[in-house]
PDB file of all heavy atoms in Angstrom:
ATOM      1  N   MET A  25      -5.532 -18.536   3.425  1.00 74.00           N
ATOM      2  CA  MET A  25      -5.006 -18.037   2.158  1.00 74.00           C
ATOM      3  C   MET A  25      -5.900 -16.918   1.613  1.00 74.00           C
ATOM      4  O   MET A  25      -5.414 -15.899   1.127  1.00 74.00           O
ATOM      5  CB  MET A  25      -4.906 -19.179   1.150  1.00 74.00           C
ATOM      6  CG  MET A  25      -4.323 -18.768  -0.178  1.00 74.00           C
ATOM      7  SD  MET A  25      -2.588 -18.364  -0.107  1.00 74.00           S
ATOM      8  CE  MET A  25      -1.884 -19.985  -0.078  1.00 74.00           C
ATOM      9  N   ALA A  26      -7.212 -17.103   1.708  1.00 70.00           N
ATOM     10  CA  ALA A  26      -8.147 -16.065   1.262  1.00 70.00           C
ATOM     11  C   ALA A  26      -7.941 -14.792   2.072  1.00 70.00           C
ATOM     12  O   ALA A  26      -7.973 -13.686   1.531  1.00 70.00           O
ATOM     13  CB  ALA A  26      -9.587 -16.559   1.394  1.00 70.00           C
ATOM     14  N   GLY A  27      -7.699 -14.936   3.374  1.00 75.00           N
ATOM     15  CA  GLY A  27      -7.431 -13.778   4.220  1.00 75.00           C
ATOM     16  C   GLY A  27      -6.175 -13.041   3.793  1.00 75.00           C
ATOM     17  O   GLY A  27      -6.143 -11.800   3.780  1.00 75.00           O
ATOM     18  N   LEU A  28      -5.131 -13.779   3.423  1.00 77.00           N
ATOM     19  CA  LEU A  28      -3.899 -13.151   2.951  1.00 77.00           C
ATOM     20  C   LEU A  28      -4.129 -12.375   1.661  1.00 77.00           C
ATOM     21  O   LEU A  28      -3.580 -11.281   1.477  1.00 77.00           O
ATOM     22  CB  LEU A  28      -2.805 -14.198   2.747  1.00 77.00           C
ATOM     23  CG  LEU A  28      -2.172 -14.761   4.009  1.00 77.00           C
ATOM     24  CD1 LEU A  28      -1.202 -15.891   3.664  1.00 77.00           C
ATOM     25  CD2 LEU A  28      -1.469 -13.678   4.798  1.00 77.00           C
ATOM     26  N   PHE A  29      -4.928 -12.918   0.761  1.00 75.00           N
ATOM     27  CA  PHE A  29      -5.235 -12.221  -0.486  1.00 75.00           C
ATOM     28  C   PHE A  29      -6.023 -10.936  -0.210  1.00 75.00           C
ATOM     29  O   PHE A  29      -5.779  -9.909  -0.841  1.00 75.00           O
ATOM     30  CB  PHE A  29      -6.005 -13.128  -1.445  1.00 75.00           C
ATOM     31  CG  PHE A  29      -5.121 -13.989  -2.293  1.00 75.00           C
ATOM     32  CD1 PHE A  29      -4.432 -15.061  -1.758  1.00 75.00           C
ATOM     33  CD2 PHE A  29      -4.970 -13.730  -3.643  1.00 75.00           C
ATOM     34  CE1 PHE A  29      -3.617 -15.856  -2.537  1.00 75.00           C
ATOM     35  CE2 PHE A  29      -4.154 -14.518  -4.429  1.00 75.00           C
ATOM     36  CZ  PHE A  29      -3.475 -15.585  -3.877  1.00 75.00           C
ATOM     37  N   HIS A  30      -6.964 -10.997   0.751  1.00 76.00           N
ATOM     38  CA  HIS A  30      -7.712  -9.795   1.123  1.00 76.00           C
ATOM     39  C   HIS A  30      -6.772  -8.759   1.738  1.00 76.00           C
ATOM     40  O   HIS A  30      -6.866  -7.566   1.443  1.00 76.00           O
ATOM     41  CB  HIS A  30      -8.820 -10.124   2.128  1.00 76.00           C
ATOM     42  CG  HIS A  30     -10.036 -10.703   1.509  1.00 76.00           C
ATOM     43  ND1 HIS A  30     -10.839 -10.010   0.641  1.00 76.00           N
ATOM     44  CD2 HIS A  30     -10.604 -11.921   1.643  1.00 76.00           C
ATOM     45  CE1 HIS A  30     -11.846 -10.767   0.259  1.00 76.00           C
ATOM     46  NE2 HIS A  30     -11.719 -11.943   0.847  1.00 76.00           N
ATOM     47  N   PHE A  31      -5.866  -9.218   2.584  1.00 83.00           N
ATOM     48  CA  PHE A  31      -4.912  -8.328   3.236  1.00 83.00           C
ATOM     49  C   PHE A  31      -4.006  -7.645   2.214  1.00 83.00           C
ATOM     50  O   PHE A  31      -3.740  -6.445   2.302  1.00 83.00           O
ATOM     51  CB  PHE A  31      -4.088  -9.118   4.258  1.00 83.00           C
ATOM     52  CG  PHE A  31      -3.126  -8.285   5.046  1.00 83.00           C
ATOM     53  CD1 PHE A  31      -3.588  -7.311   5.917  1.00 83.00           C
ATOM     54  CD2 PHE A  31      -1.763  -8.476   4.926  1.00 83.00           C
ATOM     55  CE1 PHE A  31      -2.705  -6.532   6.652  1.00 83.00           C
ATOM     56  CE2 PHE A  31      -0.868  -7.706   5.644  1.00 83.00           C
ATOM     57  CZ  PHE A  31      -1.339  -6.724   6.517  1.00 83.00           C
ATOM     58  N   SER A  32      -3.548  -8.408   1.218  1.00 78.00           N
ATOM     59  CA  SER A  32      -2.691  -7.808   0.192  1.00 78.00           C
ATOM     60  C   SER A  32      -3.460  -6.765  -0.623  1.00 78.00           C
ATOM     61  O   SER A  32      -2.900  -5.734  -1.006  1.00 78.00           O
ATOM     62  CB  SER A  32      -2.101  -8.884  -0.728  1.00 78.00           C
ATOM     63  OG  SER A  32      -3.096  -9.456  -1.538  1.00 78.00           O
ATOM     64  N   GLY A  33      -4.731  -6.997  -0.871  1.00 78.00           N
ATOM     65  CA  GLY A  33      -5.553  -6.009  -1.564  1.00 78.00           C
ATOM     66  C   GLY A  33      -5.719  -4.741  -0.740  1.00 78.00           C
ATOM     67  O   GLY A  33      -5.698  -3.620  -1.267  1.00 78.00           O
ATOM     68  N   TRP A  34      -5.858  -4.912   0.570  1.00 85.00           N
ATOM     69  CA  TRP A  34      -5.983  -3.780   1.480  1.00 85.00           C
ATOM     70  C   TRP A  34      -4.689  -2.953   1.483  1.00 85.00           C
ATOM     71  O   TRP A  34      -4.731  -1.718   1.441  1.00 85.00           O
ATOM     72  CB  TRP A  34      -6.317  -4.314   2.867  1.00 85.00           C
ATOM     73  CG  TRP A  34      -6.575  -3.287   3.905  1.00 85.00           C
ATOM     74  CD1 TRP A  34      -7.633  -2.420   3.967  1.00 85.00           C
ATOM     75  CD2 TRP A  34      -5.763  -3.019   5.042  1.00 85.00           C
ATOM     76  NE1 TRP A  34      -7.517  -1.640   5.079  1.00 85.00           N
ATOM     77  CE2 TRP A  34      -6.385  -1.988   5.760  1.00 85.00           C
ATOM     78  CE3 TRP A  34      -4.584  -3.560   5.527  1.00 85.00           C
ATOM     79  CZ2 TRP A  34      -5.857  -1.476   6.932  1.00 85.00           C
ATOM     80  CZ3 TRP A  34      -4.062  -3.054   6.695  1.00 85.00           C
ATOM     81  CH2 TRP A  34      -4.689  -2.024   7.385  1.00 85.00           C
ATOM     82  N   ILE A  35      -3.555  -3.636   1.509  1.00 89.00           N
ATOM     83  CA  ILE A  35      -2.258  -2.944   1.474  1.00 89.00           C
ATOM     84  C   ILE A  35      -2.111  -2.175   0.151  1.00 89.00           C
ATOM     85  O   ILE A  35      -1.639  -1.038   0.139  1.00 89.00           O
ATOM     86  CB  ILE A  35      -1.102  -3.940   1.680  1.00 89.00           C
ATOM     87  CG1 ILE A  35      -1.091  -4.406   3.133  1.00 89.00           C
ATOM     88  CG2 ILE A  35       0.244  -3.324   1.306  1.00 89.00           C
ATOM     89  CD1 ILE A  35      -0.095  -5.503   3.426  1.00 89.00           C
ATOM     90  N   ARG A  36      -2.516  -2.786  -0.944  1.00 85.00           N
ATOM     91  CA  ARG A  36      -2.444  -2.113  -2.244  1.00 85.00           C
ATOM     92  C   ARG A  36      -3.314  -0.853  -2.256  1.00 85.00           C
ATOM     93  O   ARG A  36      -2.918   0.180  -2.808  1.00 85.00           O
ATOM     94  CB  ARG A  36      -2.878  -3.048  -3.359  1.00 85.00           C
ATOM     95  CG  ARG A  36      -2.738  -2.403  -4.736  1.00 85.00           C
ATOM     96  CD  ARG A  36      -3.133  -3.305  -5.860  1.00 85.00           C
ATOM     97  NE  ARG A  36      -2.405  -4.561  -5.783  1.00 85.00           N
ATOM     98  CZ  ARG A  36      -2.898  -5.735  -6.157  1.00 85.00           C
ATOM     99  NH1 ARG A  36      -4.109  -5.803  -6.655  1.00 85.00           N
ATOM    100  NH2 ARG A  36      -2.187  -6.827  -6.053  1.00 85.00           N
ATOM    101  N   GLN A  37      -4.505  -0.921  -1.657  1.00 88.00           N
ATOM    102  CA  GLN A  37      -5.372   0.250  -1.591  1.00 88.00           C
ATOM    103  C   GLN A  37      -4.726   1.373  -0.780  1.00 88.00           C
ATOM    104  O   GLN A  37      -4.800   2.541  -1.158  1.00 88.00           O
ATOM    105  CB  GLN A  37      -6.723  -0.111  -0.981  1.00 88.00           C
ATOM    106  CG  GLN A  37      -7.614  -0.904  -1.896  1.00 88.00           C
ATOM    107  CD  GLN A  37      -8.909  -1.296  -1.210  1.00 88.00           C
ATOM    108  OE1 GLN A  37      -9.031  -1.272   0.009  1.00 88.00           O
ATOM    109  NE2 GLN A  37      -9.892  -1.671  -2.016  1.00 88.00           N
ATOM    110  N   ILE A  38      -4.091   1.024   0.334  1.00 92.00           N
ATOM    111  CA  ILE A  38      -3.406   2.033   1.148  1.00 92.00           C
ATOM    112  C   ILE A  38      -2.257   2.649   0.364  1.00 92.00           C
ATOM    113  O   ILE A  38      -2.079   3.870   0.358  1.00 92.00           O
ATOM    114  CB  ILE A  38      -2.904   1.413   2.475  1.00 92.00           C
ATOM    115  CG1 ILE A  38      -4.085   1.033   3.358  1.00 92.00           C
ATOM    116  CG2 ILE A  38      -1.978   2.389   3.209  1.00 92.00           C
ATOM    117  CD1 ILE A  38      -3.702   0.250   4.591  1.00 92.00           C
ATOM    118  N   HIS A  39      -1.489   1.815  -0.324  1.00 91.00           N
ATOM    119  CA  HIS A  39      -0.376   2.313  -1.137  1.00 91.00           C
ATOM    120  C   HIS A  39      -0.888   3.266  -2.223  1.00 91.00           C
ATOM    121  O   HIS A  39      -0.316   4.347  -2.430  1.00 91.00           O
ATOM    122  CB  HIS A  39       0.388   1.146  -1.760  1.00 91.00           C
ATOM    123  CG  HIS A  39       1.448   1.551  -2.730  1.00 91.00           C
ATOM    124  ND1 HIS A  39       2.634   2.127  -2.327  1.00 91.00           N
ATOM    125  CD2 HIS A  39       1.504   1.479  -4.078  1.00 91.00           C
ATOM    126  CE1 HIS A  39       3.367   2.390  -3.383  1.00 91.00           C
ATOM    127  NE2 HIS A  39       2.701   1.999  -4.464  1.00 91.00           N
ATOM    128  N   ASN A  40      -1.970   2.889  -2.904  1.00 91.00           N
ATOM    129  CA  ASN A  40      -2.544   3.754  -3.943  1.00 91.00           C
ATOM    130  C   ASN A  40      -3.058   5.065  -3.363  1.00 91.00           C
ATOM    131  O   ASN A  40      -2.940   6.121  -3.987  1.00 91.00           O
ATOM    132  CB  ASN A  40      -3.662   3.030  -4.695  1.00 91.00           C
ATOM    133  CG  ASN A  40      -3.139   1.924  -5.577  1.00 91.00           C
ATOM    134  OD1 ASN A  40      -1.965   1.899  -5.933  1.00 91.00           O
ATOM    135  ND2 ASN A  40      -4.003   0.990  -5.918  1.00 91.00           N
ATOM    136  N   TYR A  41      -3.621   5.013  -2.161  1.00 93.00           N
ATOM    137  CA  TYR A  41      -4.083   6.232  -1.501  1.00 93.00           C
ATOM    138  C   TYR A  41      -2.902   7.146  -1.176  1.00 93.00           C
ATOM    139  O   TYR A  41      -2.950   8.358  -1.420  1.00 93.00           O
ATOM    140  CB  TYR A  41      -4.858   5.885  -0.228  1.00 93.00           C
ATOM    141  CG  TYR A  41      -5.275   7.091   0.571  1.00 93.00           C
ATOM    142  CD1 TYR A  41      -6.324   7.890   0.151  1.00 93.00           C
ATOM    143  CD2 TYR A  41      -4.596   7.435   1.738  1.00 93.00           C
ATOM    144  CE1 TYR A  41      -6.708   9.009   0.876  1.00 93.00           C
ATOM    145  CE2 TYR A  41      -4.967   8.554   2.462  1.00 93.00           C
ATOM    146  CZ  TYR A  41      -6.024   9.337   2.033  1.00 93.00           C
ATOM    147  OH  TYR A  41      -6.388  10.441   2.745  1.00 93.00           O
ATOM    148  N   LEU A  42      -1.839   6.548  -0.618  1.00 92.00           N
ATOM    149  CA  LEU A  42      -0.666   7.344  -0.248  1.00 92.00           C
ATOM    150  C   LEU A  42      -0.018   7.988  -1.474  1.00 92.00           C
ATOM    151  O   LEU A  42       0.338   9.165  -1.446  1.00 92.00           O
ATOM    152  CB  LEU A  42       0.362   6.479   0.491  1.00 92.00           C
ATOM    153  CG  LEU A  42      -0.038   6.000   1.889  1.00 92.00           C
ATOM    154  CD1 LEU A  42       1.006   5.018   2.424  1.00 92.00           C
ATOM    155  CD2 LEU A  42      -0.222   7.169   2.834  1.00 92.00           C
ATOM    156  N   THR A  43       0.132   7.217  -2.538  1.00 92.00           N
ATOM    157  CA  THR A  43       0.833   7.738  -3.719  1.00 92.00           C
ATOM    158  C   THR A  43      -0.076   8.553  -4.637  1.00 92.00           C
ATOM    159  O   THR A  43       0.340   9.572  -5.158  1.00 92.00           O
ATOM    160  CB  THR A  43       1.473   6.592  -4.523  1.00 92.00           C
ATOM    161  OG1 THR A  43       0.464   5.663  -4.908  1.00 92.00           O
ATOM    162  CG2 THR A  43       2.564   5.904  -3.725  1.00 92.00           C
ATOM    163  N   GLY A  44      -1.299   8.114  -4.818  1.00 92.00           N
ATOM    164  CA  GLY A  44      -2.202   8.783  -5.749  1.00 92.00           C
ATOM    165  C   GLY A  44      -2.912   9.978  -5.155  1.00 92.00           C
ATOM    166  O   GLY A  44      -2.853  11.086  -5.682  1.00 92.00           O
ATOM    167  N   THR A  45      -3.578   9.775  -4.029  1.00 91.00           N
ATOM    168  CA  THR A  45      -4.385  10.832  -3.432  1.00 91.00           C
ATOM    169  C   THR A  45      -3.530  11.852  -2.681  1.00 91.00           C
ATOM    170  O   THR A  45      -3.705  13.054  -2.847  1.00 91.00           O
ATOM    171  CB  THR A  45      -5.438  10.224  -2.480  1.00 91.00           C
ATOM    172  OG1 THR A  45      -6.190   9.242  -3.202  1.00 91.00           O
ATOM    173  CG2 THR A  45      -6.378  11.290  -1.952  1.00 91.00           C
ATOM    174  N   LEU A  46      -2.620  11.336  -1.851  1.00 92.00           N
ATOM    175  CA  LEU A  46      -1.802  12.247  -1.047  1.00 92.00           C
ATOM    176  C   LEU A  46      -0.554  12.744  -1.781  1.00 92.00           C
ATOM    177  O   LEU A  46       0.091  13.670  -1.332  1.00 92.00           O
ATOM    178  CB  LEU A  46      -1.387  11.574   0.263  1.00 92.00           C
ATOM    179  CG  LEU A  46      -2.535  11.179   1.213  1.00 92.00           C
ATOM    180  CD1 LEU A  46      -1.984  10.545   2.474  1.00 92.00           C
ATOM    181  CD2 LEU A  46      -3.398  12.392   1.552  1.00 92.00           C
ATOM    182  N   GLY A  47      -0.198  12.086  -2.867  1.00 92.00           N
ATOM    183  CA  GLY A  47       0.945  12.523  -3.661  1.00 92.00           C
ATOM    184  C   GLY A  47       2.301  12.181  -3.071  1.00 92.00           C
ATOM    185  O   GLY A  47       3.315  12.781  -3.433  1.00 92.00           O
ATOM    186  N   ILE A  48       2.329  11.218  -2.173  1.00 92.00           N
ATOM    187  CA  ILE A  48       3.597  10.794  -1.574  1.00 92.00           C
ATOM    188  C   ILE A  48       4.377   9.989  -2.603  1.00 92.00           C
ATOM    189  O   ILE A  48       3.792   9.190  -3.349  1.00 92.00           O
ATOM    190  CB  ILE A  48       3.335   9.969  -0.296  1.00 92.00           C
ATOM    191  CG1 ILE A  48       2.676  10.839   0.758  1.00 92.00           C
ATOM    192  CG2 ILE A  48       4.614   9.348   0.230  1.00 92.00           C
ATOM    193  CD1 ILE A  48       2.261  10.088   2.005  1.00 92.00           C
ATOM    194  N   HIS A  49       5.686  10.170  -2.655  1.00 93.00           N
ATOM    195  CA  HIS A  49       6.536   9.420  -3.588  1.00 93.00           C
ATOM    196  C   HIS A  49       6.446   7.923  -3.271  1.00 93.00           C
ATOM    197  O   HIS A  49       6.275   7.525  -2.116  1.00 93.00           O
ATOM    198  CB  HIS A  49       7.985   9.905  -3.481  1.00 93.00           C
ATOM    199  CG  HIS A  49       8.842   9.404  -4.594  1.00 93.00           C
ATOM    200  ND1 HIS A  49       9.485   8.192  -4.536  1.00 93.00           N
ATOM    201  CD2 HIS A  49       9.143   9.939  -5.809  1.00 93.00           C
ATOM    202  CE1 HIS A  49      10.144   7.997  -5.658  1.00 93.00           C
ATOM    203  NE2 HIS A  49       9.961   9.056  -6.446  1.00 93.00           N
ATOM    204  N   VAL A  50       6.573   7.094  -4.306  1.00 93.00           N
ATOM    205  CA  VAL A  50       6.451   5.639  -4.159  1.00 93.00           C
ATOM    206  C   VAL A  50       7.420   5.110  -3.109  1.00 93.00           C
ATOM    207  O   VAL A  50       7.050   4.290  -2.258  1.00 93.00           O
ATOM    208  CB  VAL A  50       6.686   4.944  -5.523  1.00 93.00           C
ATOM    209  CG1 VAL A  50       6.750   3.440  -5.358  1.00 93.00           C
ATOM    210  CG2 VAL A  50       5.582   5.316  -6.502  1.00 93.00           C
ATOM    211  N   TRP A  51       8.660   5.562  -3.146  1.00 94.00           N
ATOM    212  CA  TRP A  51       9.659   5.067  -2.185  1.00 94.00           C
ATOM    213  C   TRP A  51       9.320   5.482  -0.766  1.00 94.00           C
ATOM    214  O   TRP A  51       9.595   4.739   0.184  1.00 94.00           O
ATOM    215  CB  TRP A  51      11.062   5.522  -2.578  1.00 94.00           C
ATOM    216  CG  TRP A  51      11.528   4.799  -3.786  1.00 94.00           C
ATOM    217  CD1 TRP A  51      11.610   5.272  -5.062  1.00 94.00           C
ATOM    218  CD2 TRP A  51      11.922   3.425  -3.854  1.00 94.00           C
ATOM    219  NE1 TRP A  51      12.039   4.298  -5.919  1.00 94.00           N
ATOM    220  CE2 TRP A  51      12.246   3.136  -5.202  1.00 94.00           C
ATOM    221  CE3 TRP A  51      12.036   2.399  -2.933  1.00 94.00           C
ATOM    222  CZ2 TRP A  51      12.662   1.906  -5.633  1.00 94.00           C
ATOM    223  CZ3 TRP A  51      12.464   1.152  -3.351  1.00 94.00           C
ATOM    224  CH2 TRP A  51      12.769   0.910  -4.683  1.00 94.00           C
ATOM    225  N   ALA A  52       8.703   6.640  -0.589  1.00 93.00           N
ATOM    226  CA  ALA A  52       8.275   7.062   0.741  1.00 93.00           C
ATOM    227  C   ALA A  52       7.157   6.148   1.250  1.00 93.00           C
ATOM    228  O   ALA A  52       7.118   5.809   2.435  1.00 93.00           O
ATOM    229  CB  ALA A  52       7.813   8.514   0.709  1.00 93.00           C
ATOM    230  N   SER A  53       6.274   5.744   0.348  1.00 92.00           N
ATOM    231  CA  SER A  53       5.220   4.804   0.723  1.00 92.00           C
ATOM    232  C   SER A  53       5.824   3.468   1.168  1.00 92.00           C
ATOM    233  O   SER A  53       5.403   2.891   2.170  1.00 92.00           O
ATOM    234  CB  SER A  53       4.268   4.587  -0.449  1.00 92.00           C
ATOM    235  OG  SER A  53       3.328   3.590  -0.155  1.00 92.00           O
ATOM    236  N   TYR A  54       6.824   2.993   0.421  1.00 93.00           N
ATOM    237  CA  TYR A  54       7.506   1.757   0.819  1.00 93.00           C
ATOM    238  C   TYR A  54       8.143   1.914   2.190  1.00 93.00           C
ATOM    239  O   TYR A  54       8.094   1.003   3.025  1.00 93.00           O
ATOM    240  CB  TYR A  54       8.575   1.376  -0.206  1.00 93.00           C
ATOM    241  CG  TYR A  54       8.047   0.969  -1.560  1.00 93.00           C
ATOM    242  CD1 TYR A  54       8.866   1.035  -2.677  1.00 93.00           C
ATOM    243  CD2 TYR A  54       6.751   0.515  -1.736  1.00 93.00           C
ATOM    244  CE1 TYR A  54       8.406   0.670  -3.930  1.00 93.00           C
ATOM    245  CE2 TYR A  54       6.276   0.146  -2.984  1.00 93.00           C
ATOM    246  CZ  TYR A  54       7.116   0.227  -4.078  1.00 93.00           C
ATOM    247  OH  TYR A  54       6.661  -0.136  -5.307  1.00 93.00           O
ATOM    248  N   ALA A  55       8.755   3.068   2.429  1.00 94.00           N
ATOM    249  CA  ALA A  55       9.395   3.320   3.725  1.00 94.00           C
ATOM    250  C   ALA A  55       8.364   3.296   4.851  1.00 94.00           C
ATOM    251  O   ALA A  55       8.637   2.775   5.939  1.00 94.00           O
ATOM    252  CB  ALA A  55      10.133   4.658   3.691  1.00 94.00           C
ATOM    253  N   ILE A  56       7.182   3.851   4.592  1.00 93.00           N
ATOM    254  CA  ILE A  56       6.118   3.826   5.601  1.00 93.00           C
ATOM    255  C   ILE A  56       5.725   2.383   5.921  1.00 93.00           C
ATOM    256  O   ILE A  56       5.568   2.019   7.090  1.00 93.00           O
ATOM    257  CB  ILE A  56       4.900   4.650   5.111  1.00 93.00           C
ATOM    258  CG1 ILE A  56       5.252   6.137   5.095  1.00 93.00           C
ATOM    259  CG2 ILE A  56       3.669   4.379   5.977  1.00 93.00           C
ATOM    260  CD1 ILE A  56       4.217   7.004   4.406  1.00 93.00           C
ATOM    261  N   PHE A  57       5.595   1.537   4.891  1.00 92.00           N
ATOM    262  CA  PHE A  57       5.240   0.132   5.124  1.00 92.00           C
ATOM    263  C   PHE A  57       6.351  -0.613   5.856  1.00 92.00           C
ATOM    264  O   PHE A  57       6.084  -1.448   6.722  1.00 92.00           O
ATOM    265  CB  PHE A  57       4.889  -0.566   3.805  1.00 92.00           C
ATOM    266  CG  PHE A  57       3.505  -0.265   3.325  1.00 92.00           C
ATOM    267  CD1 PHE A  57       3.286   0.554   2.238  1.00 92.00           C
ATOM    268  CD2 PHE A  57       2.400  -0.796   3.977  1.00 92.00           C
ATOM    269  CE1 PHE A  57       2.007   0.841   1.794  1.00 92.00           C
ATOM    270  CE2 PHE A  57       1.114  -0.519   3.550  1.00 92.00           C
ATOM    271  CZ  PHE A  57       0.920   0.309   2.459  1.00 92.00           C
ATOM    272  N   ILE A  58       7.596  -0.321   5.527  1.00 93.00           N
ATOM    273  CA  ILE A  58       8.722  -0.950   6.226  1.00 93.00           C
ATOM    274  C   ILE A  58       8.716  -0.548   7.693  1.00 93.00           C
ATOM    275  O   ILE A  58       8.859  -1.398   8.583  1.00 93.00           O
ATOM    276  CB  ILE A  58      10.063  -0.575   5.543  1.00 93.00           C
ATOM    277  CG1 ILE A  58      10.152  -1.244   4.175  1.00 93.00           C
ATOM    278  CG2 ILE A  58      11.255  -0.957   6.421  1.00 93.00           C
ATOM    279  CD1 ILE A  58      11.295  -0.748   3.309  1.00 93.00           C
TER     280      ILE A  58
END
C-alpha cells in the first residue's frame, strides 16, 4: 500500500511536469498516461 501511494505521487509529479513545465494541455497529459 505504501508503494502504491509513492507511485501515485510519482505519477502526479510527472503530470505536473507535463502540464506546468512543458505546457502540455491537461487532456493531452491524460492521453499520454492512457
